């Protein structure tokens, strides 16, 4: 019986076809990774220092001005910050980005301000703040907060007074607050059997009934707020406490942990899609924010740097380091909070806060195809 020549053997042909397809897939993935690395130009536009006389001309500085949270309002034109200094500071973005208002070229350099000049106004709070969140539907008029004394409050920003206060945590610190787009009434969720601390929470911002909860037991739990008896998913993969959880879309979430790693998850099957490493995070909350339209992730670091990741690639696409922080001019410092402005697709704004109480505003611009070709070749 005669054998077919090798070049005509159907299995050999299939093997070569499959090999060719694998090579094409690998080439496409490499191109995507290269594009992710080269796609953006970032620049430091504005710095706001904690010096310069403090807020409202009060010259006595707080013991610590470390910023724990930064939040854009729903119009993406107003910024609120909170932290150790027991103050909610409100900034108009137009005061931090004068280049945008005048049409001036950003090449003129970084603008340096202090809180007294940059801050529109501030509200003193009874305790250190761990979390703040703008109330949906309030047109930027109401801001919720959670503090170190375990109290949840709401502030009327027009009158600059508290309008709501609840203490349901027995004096234990409230790490995170968020608003639901649903109305589940009042309830209590205890995701960890061992009673581990809840460190972060986010309701699905796309309108779904899911709330995601990150815990000190290293897991992320997802609950349907209409029936909270048991979680609808559990994301198990971090080696230490989960400090932040953010929805990237309806089913994709990003988590941060003090294991020094960010993780991208598919909540439908509870699988890890990708891990992101490069920043330093062993003990502190360093912030996590996602820019959904651009597919970028931002986080702080314990080496006083801000890191930006493209969701498609596991290593950072951009890193910016600051000088040593502290009022005495020495010490390491850390970037402790970050927030993306959720607008546009080819331009972005990232605001970061540090352990020295300072703010930094970065702007990114997508490179043109000609710039990309220049880098490639």
């Amino acid at each position: 019986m005669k054998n077919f020549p090798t070049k005509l053997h159907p299995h050999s042909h299939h093997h070569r076809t499959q090999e060719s397809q694998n090579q094409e897939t690998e080439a496409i993935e490499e191109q995507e990774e290269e594009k992710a690395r080269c796609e953006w130009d970032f620049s430091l536009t504005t710095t706001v220092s904690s010096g310069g006389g403090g807020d409202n001309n009060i010259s006595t500085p707080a013991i610590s001005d470390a910023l724990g949270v930064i939040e854009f309002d729903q119009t993406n034109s107003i910024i609120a910050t909170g932290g150790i200094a027991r103050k909610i500071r409100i900034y108009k973005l137009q005061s931090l980005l004068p280049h945008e208002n005048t049409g001036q070229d950003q090449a003129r350099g970084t603008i340096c301000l202090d809180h007294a000049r940059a801050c529109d106004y501030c509200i003193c709070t009874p305790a250190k703040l761990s979390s703040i969140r703008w109330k949906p539907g309030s047109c930027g008029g109401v801001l919720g907060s959670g503090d170190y004394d375990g109290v949840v409050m709401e502030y009327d920003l027009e009158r600059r007074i508290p309008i709501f206060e609840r203490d349901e945590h027995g004096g234990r610190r409230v790490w995170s607050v968020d608003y639901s787009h649903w109305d589940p009434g009042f309830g209590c969720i205890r995701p960890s059997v061992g009673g581990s601390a809840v460190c972060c929470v986010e309701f699905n911002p796309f309108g779904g009934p899911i709330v995601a909860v990150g815990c000190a037991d290293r897991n992320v739990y997802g609950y349907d707020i209409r029936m909270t008896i048991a979680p609808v998913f559990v994301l198990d993969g971090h080696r230490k406490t989960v400090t932040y959880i953010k929805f990237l879309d309806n089913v994709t979430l990003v988590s941060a942990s003090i294991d020094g790693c960010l993780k991208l998850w598919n909540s439908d099957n509870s699988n890890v899609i990708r891990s992101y490493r490069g920043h330093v995070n062993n003990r502190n909350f360093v912030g996590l924010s996602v820019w959904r339209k651009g597919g970028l992730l931002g986080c702080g670091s314990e080496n006083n740097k801000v890191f930006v990741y493209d969701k498609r690639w596991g290593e950072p696409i951009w890193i910016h380091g600051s000088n040593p922080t502290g009022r005495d001019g020495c010490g390491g410092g850390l970037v402790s909070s970050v927030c993306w402005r959720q607008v546009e697709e080819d331009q972005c704004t990232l605001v970061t806060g540090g352990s020295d109480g300072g703010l930094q505003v970065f702007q990114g611009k997508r490179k043109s195809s000609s710039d990309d070709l220049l880098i490639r070749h």
Side-chain angles (χ1 to χ4, degrees), residues 163-185:
I163 56 174
F164 173 87
E165 179 177 340
R166 288 189 72 93
D167 183 0
E168 303 288 347
H169 295 276
R172 294 183 295 273
R173 186 179 306 180
V174 175
W175 287 108
S176 181
V177 297
D178 195 20
Y179 286 96
S180 170
H181 295 273
W182 292 63
D183 184 13

Side-chain angles (χ1 to χ4, degrees), residues 52-83:
D55 297 301
N56 301 333
N57 297 320
I58 299 174
S59 58
T60 304
I63 296 175
S64 173
D65 278 342
L67 292 173
V69 60
I70 303 170
E71 288 287 330
F72 275 97
D73 75 336
Q74 288 90 342
T75 68
N76 284 286
S77 61
I78 299 176
I79 300 169
T81 69

Side-chain angles (χ1 to χ4, degrees), residues 99-321:
H99 292 311
E100 282 195 350
N101 308 312
T102 61
Q104 295 176 337
D105 189 351
Q106 290 185 24
R108 296 192 178 194
T110 302
I111 298 169
C112 298
L113 305 171
D114 58 62
H115 288 304
R117 294 167 55 200
C119 180
D120 194 34
Y121 62 89
C122 69
I123 300 174
C124 293
T125 63
K128 302 172 184 177
L129 297 179
S130 51
S131 182
I132 57 176
R133 192 59 62 95
W134 295 90
K135 185 174 184 178
S138 69
C139 299
V142 177
L143 192 70
S145 70
D147 66 31
Y148 279 42
D149 289 345
V151 179
V152 175
M153 301 184 71
E154 285 186 336
Y155 292 87
D156 183 319
L157 297 188
E158 183 177 353
R159 294 183 291 165
R160 303 178 192 178
I161 60 172
I163 56 174
F164 173 87
E165 179 177 340
R166 288 189 72 93
D167 183 0
E168 303 288 347
H169 295 276
R172 294 183 295 273
R173 186 179 306 180
V174 175
W175 287 108
S176 181
V177 297
D178 195 20
Y179 286 96
S180 170
H181 295 273
W182 292 63
D183 184 13
F186 292 97
C188 181
I189 297 174
R190 297 187 183 276
S192 175
V193 176
S196 296
V198 172
C199 299
C200 52
V201 59
E202 184 170 76
F203 288 95
N204 186 337
F206 302 96
I210 301 299
V211 58
V213 180
C215 296
D217 67 359
R218 303 176 290 185
N219 292 334
V220 175
Y221 301 87
Y223 286 86
D224 187 321
I225 59 177
R226 299 167 298 183
M227 186 177 62
T228 60
I229 297 175
V232 293
F233 63 79
V234 178
L235 309 179
D236 180 5
H238 282 293
R239 294 181 291 105
K240 293 184 179 180
T241 298
V242 176
T243 50
Y244 298 94
I245 183 69
K246 300 290 181 183
F247 281 85
L248 195 58
D249 56 42
N250 252 320
V251 298
T252 312
L253 296 92
V254 181
S255 61
S257 166
I258 56 172
D259 61 7
C261 179
L262 309 182
K263 288 186 180 294
L264 186 69
W265 304 86
N266 182 329
S267 62
D268 280 345
N269 55 24
S270 299
N271 287 340
V272 176
I273 300 171
R274 187 166 289 108
S275 296
Y276 307 88
R277 298 184 182 276
H279 60 288
V280 180
N281 189 195
N282 298 313
R283 57 177 297 176
N284 297 288
F285 285 65
V286 296
L288 171 68
S289 184
V290 298
W291 180 37
R292 299 182 180 96
K293 290 188 176 181
L296 299 184
L297 322 175
C299 69
S301 181
E302 291 167 1
N303 59 0
N304 209 31
K305 296 179 180 180
V306 57
F307 285 72
V308 172
Y309 297 89
D310 188 297
K311 69 176 184 179
R312 300 167 293 181
W313 201 46
E315 296 182 10
I317 61 168
W318 182 77
I319 304 170
H320 182 274

